[in-house]
Amino acid sequence: MKYGVRNDLMATVQAVKKGEIMSQIECTLDAAGKLSSVLTTDSVAELDLKPGDRVHLLIKAIHVIPAKD
């Protein structure tokens, strides 16, 4: 698989919340932590995502904003 993304995290899908148009998947990272992703329900169906599936979480940010307390 080739792609133009530098951040590639392996994770396991824990839950899929399907809506009519958009859906959310919740994932546990192989490294410590969790991430969620919002994508179209059509994409969830096309990828046949379900809890327990192994996935690549590809992250490509348009904006990176540093914040300091």
Side-chain angles (χ1 to χ4, degrees):
M1 172 172 40
K2 292 185 179 183
Y3 42 82
V5 177
R6 291 192 174 117
N7 299 307
D8 178 355
L9 306 172
M10 287 303 300
T12 301
V13 176
Q14 295 300 313
V16 177
K17 298 178 184 177
K18 291 185 181 178
E20 187 174 330
I21 303 297
M22 297 296 291
S23 295
Q24 177 180 347
I25 61 168
E26 295 179 6
C27 299
T28 300
L29 301 173
D30 287 0
K34 291 186 177 187
L35 283 177
S36 293
S37 176
V38 177
L39 59 160
T40 65
T41 299
D42 286 346
S43 292
V44 171
E46 183 177 317
L47 292 168
D48 190 28
L49 290 173
K50 56 194 172 301
D53 285 349
R54 298 283 298 151
V55 294
H56 287 267
L57 296 179
L58 306 174
I59 302 164
K60 187 164 186 170
I62 295 171
H63 298 95
V64 177
I65 302 168
K68 186 176 179 181
D69 287 334

